[in-house]
Amino acid sequence: MLYGIAAATTSLLLAAFLAALLRLPALRLGIVDRRRQRPLPLLGGAGVVLVTCLVVAAGEWTGFAPLGPQVERLLMAAGAVAVLGLVADVRRVKARFLVGGTAVAAACVVPYSETGFLFGLPAVGWIVLVAVGFKALDHADGLAGTVGVVTAFGVGLLAAAEVMDELAVLLSVLAAALTGFLMHNWHPARIGLGACGSLFVGFVLASTAVMTRTGHDPVSSVGVLYALTALATADVLLVALSRRLAGRPLLRGGPDHLAHRLRRVGLTPPAATVVLGLAAFSGVFVGVLVHMGWIAESGVFWVGAGALVAVFGLLLIKPYAPRRQPSFPVGGSVRPPAQATSTQVRAQLRVRNG
């Protein structure tokens, strides 16, 4: 107990320190998100990854919190995913590169001996979906970090209930590191999570959730896992439907995520993050109650129904600006700007040459 408190406190302070320390190098190296109104440095996620891995590894080295082979394999796979995300932060890479690498890492952490190959493959796909979903949540200040903290606490409760102490320690350290990072990521954000941190957080949360549900009924496990990450999956569904209906490429970015649409109806950036954080907490809370057996499994259907209502309701908000059509004078001749410019230049040359 005392070690867990000390580890969480250390993670919070170190993550806050690294987030402040890495901001200037990220700006100088050009590791920034240029899609926002102002360039946002993206090495905050690298700080979260470093703090989480170092503090958890310190527990293994000191013998206070042995990891075990399963958690060691999870950390190595999550570290590989973080490296992929860091590459994406430094230079543009195709989305299939990130998805494929995350899928390979997920295939290495699923406990096939307990889930079986039949349920292991869907688990791999679900881990990839959640990791990509958390990357998508990084579109607003403080959103991915807030949802990550809430989800980490929920999955940590599941791990404690299953007497998986090593997973509980890992999740508490991750939640504390994200809390320290949020000190610099709340609106207006001074540093961002980036693909490195968001993929790492989503991967760890999804993988540990799968581990805590091994041995339970597969049908109820699907409901619990969905409830724990309902917000991230709802954002992915909303964006996919929106771009499909608008005829836009699925992988083409745009202001069509959850927080973007809430801001269009008048919410401030902090208010949108708080609303979505409460929505994430509701899903996690139901998932924990169902796992503990304190409410019926049908409770997850209410989470799914609420998410669908929210998705279809937000679809009514048009996020894409209409294309501007060129206006031409009625009855007049149209001359392209380049042609008009060249004609003027020739006229000026004739005047100068007499």
Side-chain angles (χ1 to χ4, degrees), residues 155-181:
V155 182
L157 289 175
L158 268 62
E162 297 296 325
V163 199
M164 296 180 172
D165 296 336
E166 63 280 0
L167 289 183
V169 170
L170 169 61
L171 291 165
S172 64
V173 168
L174 177 60
L178 285 173
T179 303
F181 162 77

Side-chain angles (χ1 to χ4, degrees), residues 241-316:
L241 288 176
S242 178
R243 294 176 185 177
R244 178 68 176 177
L245 293 175
R248 295 167 63 93
L250 182 61
L251 300 180
R252 179 183 176 183
D256 48 10
H257 293 269
L258 289 169
H260 293 145
R261 296 173 190 263
L262 291 179
R263 290 187 63 182
R264 281 183 173 268
V265 299
L267 269 67
T268 62
T273 299
V274 170
V275 169
L276 294 175
L278 291 175
F281 173 78
S282 301
V284 170
F285 185 64
V286 171
V288 171
L289 293 181
V290 172
H291 179 86
M292 300 292 188
W294 293 342
I295 64 173
E297 297 176 358
S298 59
V300 298
F301 291 105
W302 291 104
V303 177
L308 288 177
V309 169
V311 166
F312 286 110
L314 291 174
L315 275 176
L316 300 177

